[in-house]
Amino acid sequence: MSKLPAAYKFIDVSDYGRSIARFIAKSLKKTAVTPISITICFIISGLVAIACMLIGNYWAAAFFLILKSILDAADGELARVKNTPSYTGRYLDSVADIILNFLFLVTIAYITNTNLFYMLLAFIGIQLQGTLYNYYYVILRNNANGDTTSRVFEDDVPIALKGEKQSQVDKLFKTYKFLYGKFDRAINLLDPSAVLSKPFPNWFMTCVSIFGLGFQLLIISVMLVLNAAHYVIPFFIFYSLLIFVLIFLRKMILTD
């Protein structure tokens, strides 16, 4: 099952691993492997990438970063092919992503002797970028009658779905809100009227997809293999300026 109706599918430059993710999911459909098992695998892949950075093996680090991105898509795909959606998996995935993003940047700051203040700026920038992408993407899915597992506003604890425990959903939701709440509020304050917009055109969502986590990890991977790790943190600080460009574009061109 696709997240969007055919008319609203767009070229997502952050989703380059989707075909491989679907192959993985289809291969595991009749096995005992669960979507959460795949989530754990992408966490391990991310940690291995960090270890590779620390020992200076940047090609291997890039490989495991890309593998992490592919597995990050595969857990959701497996949930769809097995028809086992869960809020536990949805929030665990997001919590793992933000923690790994922080650790990636801490590691890069360490190996490049970058000031931690600039590392924090880059981390905030990366999270705001990803939040804008997710904000517009979830709005599109809701307005275009697509997948509604994710909500535009994560204000209330959702009711656990079949096969998951409400206690687990409660804990993961609170953790999710603690880690993502400020970023969600910041983006909503910058563009509160987006939720009232008609479905965004495909070309616009393709532009926004440059802020997707997969594309961010691809940029980091390319910089690592080019021995340009010292550019990663300043790049993402300045890359964040495009947030305002895309919000301006949405308000000026796509307002009803």
Side-chain angles (χ1 to χ4, degrees), residues 81-192:
V81 300
K82 286 196 171 190
N83 195 26
T84 55
S86 74
Y87 289 109
T88 300
R90 182 253 187 274
Y91 293 126
L92 178 62
D93 185 298
S94 295
V95 168
D97 279 337
I98 193 171
I99 292 174
L100 284 173
N101 284 350
F102 182 79
L103 293 176
F104 293 152
L105 290 179
V106 167
T107 303
I108 291 169
Y110 175 76
I111 64 178
T112 60
N113 293 313
T114 301
N115 187 290
L116 287 180
F117 173 75
Y118 295 118
M119 183 278 295
L120 288 172
L121 282 182
F123 173 71
I124 291 169
I126 279 179
Q127 291 308 131
L128 288 174
Q129 293 163 29
T131 300
L132 182 69
Y133 167 74
N134 289 325
Y135 182 58
Y136 285 157
Y137 195 10
V138 173
I139 289 172
L140 175 63
R141 285 173 5 216
N142 279 265
N143 291 349
N145 297 315
D147 175 74
T148 56
T149 303
S150 297
R151 299 173 296 175
V152 177
F153 301 108
E154 298 280 0
D155 294 324
D156 303 312
V157 181
I159 302 301
L161 298 173
K162 181 180 178 181
E164 61 181 344
K165 295 180 180 179
Q166 187 65 49
S167 60
Q168 291 179 333
V169 175
D170 293 347
K171 291 175 184 177
L172 284 167
F173 175 80
K174 290 178 182 177
T175 305
Y176 172 89
K177 284 291 290 182
F178 174 75
L179 294 173
Y180 282 95
K182 290 181 174 59
F183 299 111
D184 290 341
R185 286 194 293 273
I187 292 300
N188 180 245
L189 284 172
L190 288 171
D191 194 4

Side-chain angles (χ1 to χ4, degrees), residues 135-136 139 143 188 191-198 200 250:
Y135 182 58
Y136 285 157
I139 289 172
N143 291 349
N188 180 245
D191 194 4
S193 62
V195 294
L196 304 175
S197 176
K198 59 186 178 182
F200 310 126
R250 208 288 306 166

